[in-house]
Amino acid sequence: SLAIRPVSANLMTQAHALGYLALQLLRPWGMNADPALLATTRLDVMTVLLGLLWVAVAVTGLVVRRRSPALAFGLWWFLLWLLPTNSLLPRYDVANDRQLYLALIGPAWLLGLAVATAGRRAALRWMPPAALLAIGAVLALATLQRNRVYADEVSYWQDVARQSPASPRAANNLGIAYALACRDAEALREFERAVRLQPGYLRARINLRLLQTGALFPDPLTGAAARADLGTRRCARTPP
């Protein structure tokens, strides 16, 4: 892991990655199964500001832990759950939305705490049920939209490629999805795009060559199901 990038560069990178993950909490309709986040290797103003922000969040949790342990719990829960994957040890994928599965309990706790606190005021007693309905409606709509993305391999990787157009991995995997769906012309286009994005991407180059030579799958005219990395395909027979 330490050979991927220096620890100092990884700390700068993760300052941005934590910002990305925090923003994902505010836009549940914008989930990305494979975000192509870039590593940060040069110190700039934005990196310094983000680093100071996360240090401030951690220090705030320490300062208020006796006076307001509920607030400290929410702040530190978010940071501690992300500490193993988004701190010192470099990883090939800078950040993934799935790292929020447990970490989001902290921000959710803080939101609930704020609503409950406001609801103690006589003039705002309507807020907790109204907030519950509003948040539930937004999350239900986001879930419905996300379920459509997961309908099949093609829609899944189309969504990733749309949100990460510069990702060669997304293009290659979309190519495999198209190939599994017997959409070879589109698969060829995506494999070629993956190679243009990253000329040294051997997986895409191999898939491209195999598809061009008809060796990515056995001849579909035989009617036999063909194995591939992501599943099987059976194309309709072409009339002789």
Side-chain angles (χ1 to χ4, degrees):
S1 179
L2 293 175
I4 298 175
R5 71 183 68 92
V7 172
S8 58
N10 195 63
L11 286 172
M12 293 188 290
T13 297
Q14 289 305 324
H16 290 267
L18 289 176
Y20 167 81
L21 293 175
L23 286 176
Q24 292 298 80
L25 297 175
L26 302 177
R27 53 186 205 108
W29 53 86
M31 297 289 102
N32 186 347
D34 192 13
L37 303 179
L38 300 177
T40 302
T41 57
R42 304 178 69 177
L43 190 64
D44 55 22
V45 174
M46 181 57 68
T47 303
V48 172
L49 291 176
L50 286 171
L52 291 175
L53 171 64
W54 295 116
V55 171
V57 171
V59 171
T60 300
L62 286 176
V63 171
V64 305
R65 71 186 187 280
R66 295 188 183 278
R67 184 173 70 255
S68 182
L71 174 60
F73 171 82
L75 295 176
W76 271 96
W77 181 282
F78 182 76
L79 293 178
L80 288 176
W81 273 106
L82 294 175
L83 189 63
T85 55
N86 299 85
S87 58
L88 295 175
L89 290 179
R91 52 201 306 274
Y92 285 113
D93 293 332
V94 172
N96 298 104
D97 291 355
R98 63 179 178 272
Q99 289 155 7
L100 289 171
Y101 289 168
L102 289 174
L104 64 81
I105 292 176
W109 168 273
L110 294 176
L111 177 61
L113 186 66
V115 171
T117 301
R120 294 194 186 105
R121 301 180 181 180
L124 296 176
R125 286 179 181 172
W126 55 269
M127 180 174 285
L132 181 62
L133 289 173
I135 294 172
V138 169
L139 294 181
L141 290 174
T143 300
L144 178 62
Q145 179 261 344
R146 195 64 187 161
N147 284 345
R148 292 174 178 171
V149 170
Y150 278 77
D152 53 48
E153 289 285 346
V154 171
S155 62
Y156 179 91
W157 287 108
Q158 281 178 336
D159 180 75
V160 174
R162 181 166 52 250
Q163 296 191 71
S164 304
S167 170
R169 183 166 64 187
N172 175 73
N173 289 356
L174 179 56
I176 286 289
Y178 279 139
L180 285 169
C182 302
R183 297 163 62 173
D184 289 357
E186 293 163 291
L188 185 66
R189 180 194 67 202
E190 292 303 320
F191 290 147
E192 290 175 341
R193 187 167 71 88
V195 172
R196 287 197 303 272
L197 290 170
Q198 185 178 331
Y201 191 10
L202 292 181
R203 187 182 298 272
R205 283 187 169 276
I206 291 171
N207 287 335
L208 174 61
R209 181 60 176 166
L210 290 176
L211 184 63
Q212 288 173 330
T213 59
L216 184 59
F217 298 97
D219 186 354
L221 297 180
T222 64
R227 295 297 306 176
D229 288 344
L230 298 180
T232 62
R233 83 169 185 173
R234 187 187 293 276
C235 297
R237 289 177 176 270
T238 302

